[in-house]
Amino acid sequence: MAQLDTLDICVLAVLLIGTVAYFTKGSLWGVVKDPYASSFTPVGAGKEGKTRNIVEKMEESSKNCVVFYGSQTGTAEDYASRLAKEGKSRFGLETMVADLEDYDYDNLDTLAKDKVVIFVLATYGEGEPTDNAVEFYEFFTSDDVSFSSASDPPLGNLNYVAFGLGNNTYEHYNSMVRKVSARLDGLGAHRISAAGEGDDGAGTMEEDFLAWKDPMWSALAETLGLEEREAVYEPIFGITEREGLTKDSAEVYLGEPNKLHLEGTPKGPFNAHNPYIAPIVESKELFTVKDRNCLHMEIDVGGSNLTYQTGDHIAIWPTNSGKEADRFLNVTGLMSKRDDVITVKPLEPTAKVPFPTPTTYDAIIRYHIEICAPVSRQFVATIAPFAPNEKSKAEMTKLGSDKDYFHSRVSNHYFNIAQVLEEVGEGQKWTNIPFSAFLEGLVKIQPRYYSISSSSLVQKDKISITAVVESIRLAGRAHVLKGVTTNYLLALKQKQHGDPNPDPHGLTYDITGPRNRYDGVHVPVHVRHSNFKLPSDPTKPIIMIGPGTGVAPFRAFVQERAAQAKAGHQVGKTILFFGCRKASEDFLYAEEWEEYKQALGDNFSLVTAFSRDGPTKVYVQHRLTEHAKEINELLQEKAYFYVCGDASNMAREVNTVLGKILAEQRGISEAKAEEVVKNMRAANQYQEDVWS
């Protein structure tokens, strides 16, 4: 055998290394990190390898505009994404979207003057920051806020604009954007244009946003010397079809939120990033009429390490109905490809895919995108160029540009995106719309929050919820408006009661979940803590106003006080004002109140208002007036006052009535009485858990 020279040995060594490398790629090296492998990380926890220095991040990725969002339901995040896209497509800005909880802010003073920061800030509850904005808010509102340099003023280099999302039925309307803007101005930041404020209470959020952003862009372009160009759609995400995979492949996500769920080994902590698949141990109908439904459900969280306190909220992670998923897939021409496997990847370094991949079109539509949400006029304008014909294109363009026309044809009918495409396309398939446009233009499906209707003192491992199933026939409209989550819960209740094919209000749901892991019957949940709490001293009197399902947290409050009384504790006066249509139809928990009365005796009073049982309609606010003397006396004893339910009408009227009661009973002016009510709110003596 001939002797090998040095060159031969080198060549053989390279070949050997190459062979080993080829066969070990993906197992020993070159492993693609699954960004959802650790998405169960608790809120606020650091993510390995990810910088919290926003200035450094912008420099690394060559960005000159960052859009921060503080979002609770996903709307602020959606607006932030839309602003980032528009800034890039219209003005050539190098934009990025950033979650407020992902970064620190003590170095914002070093951001260069040729860069701009946009804040999109939702106000949650009674003037509170959203969950992901707590640390940001605490930093900027602290008395001793400090930055990395000794500049004077500290933020003299910072250019910013801000938009707030609020609800005028709350006392602290848009307080987040107002307080943050005032603080930034006080620190020397340069506000390029007036802060915008969207009002969900008036139903004008979307139009408020659109009306704000155009003059904002003009002011920003003038400040930074930008030139507007014709906006052309540029995808943020790339879609790749995976021919080697099927929906049955083990690595394909079929709706699972992260890798541990995919592998069938979910573990805590369970939170807004990582749901617990909880068994529903009991479900029943509370109404006695056939055309309306109200559900009571008991959800078992034992063994999950999920804990709750009386007054907290439970989040239900919904799925879209099969009927609406089919409608979307059909009108977009994706029905035949529903089970095809795709990978979605960001086309720029700061974008984040909102769900794990590889996955299927069906899984994305069913589990991850709000396909049933109201349609944005801006999104209609974005997809107009992809219409199947010139007639449809002209109609979509008009809808996108004419606010009143859009309201009459779309908003007024509560159409979702697929219904708009059906209506405008007149049977044509919209196959030209890039799928990435839907991922960018439709928001990620969000958990829905429900006031917990059980006491943690009485049942710490079981959470009760009370929910009216939404199925609303609108006057003069062909279709029925159906709640996504409540009909999903109704399907689960039907399954639990023996129906093999649940079909609530003509809808179908994949209630067994991805790979049948929800069978049994289970629902994905997490718990959100609330400030809506009983006084720490159980002898304090409480006054509760909760018509309809607004009674949910008060069932928990009364349940807790009854348990305390049975245990021999002294309990203060507990008075509940409850309202519904008829005592024979929707008097929620009627029998239970009698049981609690036995435990609490004279310390419990239930005052009812049945609006349709008499010749005139009577509501809880009328009953409050009838009990004016007692209400005033209890408040003088430092009673806590609670309201839960509809924010736009009931809660506002209760606030007004209470002011009038105090004025009349105490012989003071209504202006002075209103001041007393405001002071009660400030002292947490007046608490609300309300919704629009």
Side-chain angles (χ1 to χ4, degrees):
M1 180 177 174
Q3 190 173 5
L4 295 174
D5 61 22
T6 303
L7 178 61
D8 293 330
I9 294 172
C10 290
V11 170
L12 289 172
V14 168
L15 290 172
L16 178 61
I17 291 169
T19 303
V20 171
Y22 178 83
F23 286 106
T24 59
K25 183 180 180 181
S27 58
L28 298 180
W29 74 282
V31 181
V32 178
K33 181 173 174 56
D34 182 352
Y36 288 84
S38 58
S39 63
F40 56 87
T41 303
V43 174
K47 297 176 182 177
E48 184 180 355
K50 182 174 181 180
T51 180
R52 292 186 61 83
N53 185 325
I54 186 59
V55 178
E56 182 181 282
K57 181 68 174 179
M58 292 179 72
E59 291 295 338
E60 287 177 353
S61 52
S62 300
K63 303 299 180 186
N64 57 9
C65 173
V66 57
V67 190
F68 286 111
Y69 64 86
S71 185
Q72 196 71 35
T73 64
T75 307
E77 182 178 0
D78 174 48
Y79 286 2
S81 297
R82 286 158 62 178
L83 288 170
K85 279 186 66 66
E86 189 171 357
K88 183 175 178 61
S89 63
R90 285 180 61 187
F91 299 98
L93 283 167
E94 293 301 328
T95 59
M96 64 176 284
V97 178
D99 188 330
L100 279 171
E101 72 178 1
D102 286 345
Y103 294 94
D104 298 321
Y105 299 95
D106 57 357
N107 62 349
L108 270 184
D109 57 329
T110 65
L111 197 65
K113 280 187 175 181
D114 61 349
K115 293 180 171 53
V116 65
V117 177
I118 302 177
F119 294 100
V120 185
L121 304 171
T123 299
Y124 167 60
E126 291 302 307
E128 301 155 31
T130 56
D131 291 345
N132 74 318
V134 171
E135 291 182 12
F136 163 82
Y137 180 73
E138 289 176 348
F139 173 80
F140 271 103
T141 56
S142 65
D143 293 333
D144 58 347
V145 60
S146 62
F147 296 91
S148 59
S149 66
S151 303
D152 186 23
L155 297 182
N157 279 353
L158 184 67
N159 292 310
Y160 86 96
V161 292
F163 182 82
L165 295 82
N167 186 316
N168 71 13
T169 59
Y170 291 82
E171 181 183 5
H172 303 285
Y173 171 61
N174 260 313
S175 67
M176 266 295 286
V177 74
R178 292 178 181 183
K179 289 181 180 179
V180 169
S181 294
R183 186 60 162 156
L184 290 171
D185 293 347
L187 292 167
H190 174 224
R191 191 196 308 185
I192 291 173
S193 68
E197 295 186 353
D199 187 2
D200 191 43
T204 58
M205 181 74 78
E206 176 72 15
E207 291 303 330
D208 292 338
F209 172 69
L210 296 179
W212 165 80
K213 72 177 182 64
D214 284 335
M216 180 276 294
W217 284 127
S218 297
L220 192 150
E222 183 178 349
T223 300
L224 298 184
L226 304 175
E227 291 187 11
E228 185 170 0
R229 61 189 187 183
E230 183 180 356
V232 177
Y233 172 71
E234 298 178 48
I236 293 175
F237 302 115
I239 313 296
T240 305
E241 297 196 354
R242 302 290 298 276
E243 295 182 359
L245 297 174
T246 72
K247 68 173 185 175
D248 298 319
S249 300
E251 65 266 46
V252 173
Y253 290 86
L254 299 180
E256 297 90 349
N258 57 51
K259 193 170 185 179
L260 290 178
H261 282 265
L262 175 68
E263 295 171 347
T265 57
K267 67 177 183 179
F270 298 107
N271 51 35
H273 304 279
N274 183 45
Y276 174 61
I277 312 303
I280 298 173
V281 293
E282 180 187 342
S283 59
K284 63 182 179 181
E285 176 63 56
L286 295 177
F287 286 173
T288 59
V289 288
K290 291 185 177 180
D291 61 336
R292 294 189 297 142
N293 299 93
C294 183
L295 304 176
H296 174 89
M297 285 185 161
E298 298 282 345
I299 297 172
D300 188 353
V301 295
S304 68
N305 289 325
L306 278 176
T307 61
Y308 78 101
Q309 294 178 323
T310 306
D312 283 345
H313 301 135
I314 185 169
I316 305 293
W317 292 47
T319 71
N320 289 310
S321 72
K323 179 178 180 179
E324 291 301 331
D326 288 350
R327 185 200 302 273
F328 182 95
L329 291 165
N330 182 58
V331 76
T332 56
L334 291 170
M335 184 66 80
S336 63
K337 302 174 70 173
R338 69 185 311 160
D339 292 327
D340 288 4
V341 177
I342 59 172
T343 294
V344 182
K345 291 186 177 180
L347 296 179
E348 65 103 336
T350 62
K352 184 179 183 246
V353 180
F355 46 79
T357 67
T359 185
T360 66
Y361 288 106
D362 183 88
I364 294 170
I365 299 310
R366 195 178 294 271
Y367 290 99
H368 297 301
I369 296 180
E370 290 275 16
I371 60 170
C372 295
V375 183
S376 155
R377 181 160 64 90
Q378 187 178 4
F379 183 60
V380 168
T382 298
I383 61 176
F386 303 104
N389 52 54
E390 288 302 315
K391 180 182 177 183
S392 297
K393 181 179 179 180
E395 179 68 1
M396 291 289 276
T397 301
K398 184 178 181 181
L399 286 169
S401 60
D402 188 327
K403 178 175 72 173
D404 294 333
Y405 187 62
F406 182 83
H407 179 74
S408 66
R409 282 219 62 188
V410 178
S411 301
N412 212 26
H413 293 265
Y414 297 90
F415 284 155
N416 60 40
I417 183 60
Q419 289 168 328
V420 170
L421 298 182
E422 286 180 335
E423 183 79 7
V424 174
E426 299 177 340
Q428 293 287 311
K429 298 287 191 293
W430 294 67
T431 56
N432 295 329
I433 303 175
F435 191 65
S436 57
F438 291 117
L439 302 184
E440 297 157 19
L442 303 180
V443 300
K444 181 180 179 181
I445 198 164
Q446 297 292 323
R448 270 57 163 185
Y449 293 94
Y450 297 87
S451 301
I452 293 174
S453 56
S454 56
S455 162
S456 57
L457 178 68
V458 176
Q459 49 182 72
K460 69 181 182 68
D461 289 333
K462 279 200 304 183
I463 291 176
S464 302
I465 62 171
T466 309
V468 167
V469 179
E470 295 179 21
S471 183
I472 305 167
R473 185 168 293 282
L474 303 164
R477 310 291 185 269
H479 73 285
V480 179
L481 186 64
K482 301 178 180 70
V484 173
T485 309
T486 53
N487 280 281
Y488 170 52
L489 292 175
L490 180 56
L492 289 166
K493 181 253 181 186
Q494 291 174 347
K495 174 72 182 299
Q496 190 167 57
H497 287 255
D499 188 336
N501 299 298
D503 187 25
H505 298 120
L507 303 175
T508 56
Y509 285 88
D510 188 12
I511 57 176
T512 61
R515 293 177 168 86
N516 297 318
R517 287 184 177 135
Y518 298 0
D519 203 10
V521 175
H522 292 72
V523 63
V525 303
H526 72 269
V527 171
R528 183 176 70 187
H529 297 296
S530 163
N531 293 324
F532 194 74
K533 292 287 182 284
L534 279 164
S536 56
D537 180 359
T539 65
K540 288 280 188 185
I542 60 173
I543 302 162
M544 302 165 287
I545 297 90
T549 54
V551 80
F554 302 138
R555 175 183 182 263
F557 284 13
V558 177
Q559 187 182 75
E560 182 150 318
R561 289 211 153 180
Q564 289 170 328
K566 284 182 180 179
H569 299 292
Q570 185 180 350
V571 174
K573 181 68 176 179
T574 303
I575 181 169
L576 170 63
F577 291 83
F578 170 76
C580 63
R581 294 184 184 179
K582 295 184 177 182
S584 60
E585 291 184 0
D586 49 4
F587 186 1
L588 301 182
Y589 303 112
E591 295 177 0
E592 284 190 27
W593 304 125
E594 292 299 322
E595 296 174 14
Y596 300 141
K597 177 71 174 177
Q598 291 177 14
L600 291 165
D602 292 340
N603 279 327
F604 177 60
S605 298
L606 174 65
V607 181
T608 55
F610 302 118
S611 63
R612 301 188 185 181
D613 267 349
T616 58
K617 289 186 176 181
V618 180
Y619 298 108
V620 286
Q621 48 267 42
H622 300 133
R623 296 301 192 214
L624 272 176
T625 303
E626 293 170 6
H627 289 75
K629 184 174 183 295
E630 182 180 15
I631 295 295
N632 180 56
E633 289 173 350
L634 288 172
L635 290 176
Q636 288 178 323
E637 297 173 20
K638 301 301 180 184
Y640 280 62
F641 192 86
Y642 300 92
V643 182
C644 183
D646 168 48
S648 57
N649 296 307
M650 182 276 299
R652 181 174 285 181
E653 289 180 22
V654 165
N655 184 89
T656 302
V657 167
L658 181 60
K660 290 180 178 179
I661 287 173
L662 295 179
E664 178 187 307
Q665 294 294 314
R666 299 182 185 182
I668 58 178
S669 67
E670 288 196 7
K672 178 64 176 175
E674 289 174 6
E675 191 66 28
V676 173
V677 173
K678 284 185 178 180
N679 290 337
M680 287 173 58
R681 289 178 179 273
N684 223 29
Q685 188 186 351
Y686 188 132
Q687 298 182 31
E688 289 183 318
D689 183 1
V690 294
W691 55 84
S692 298

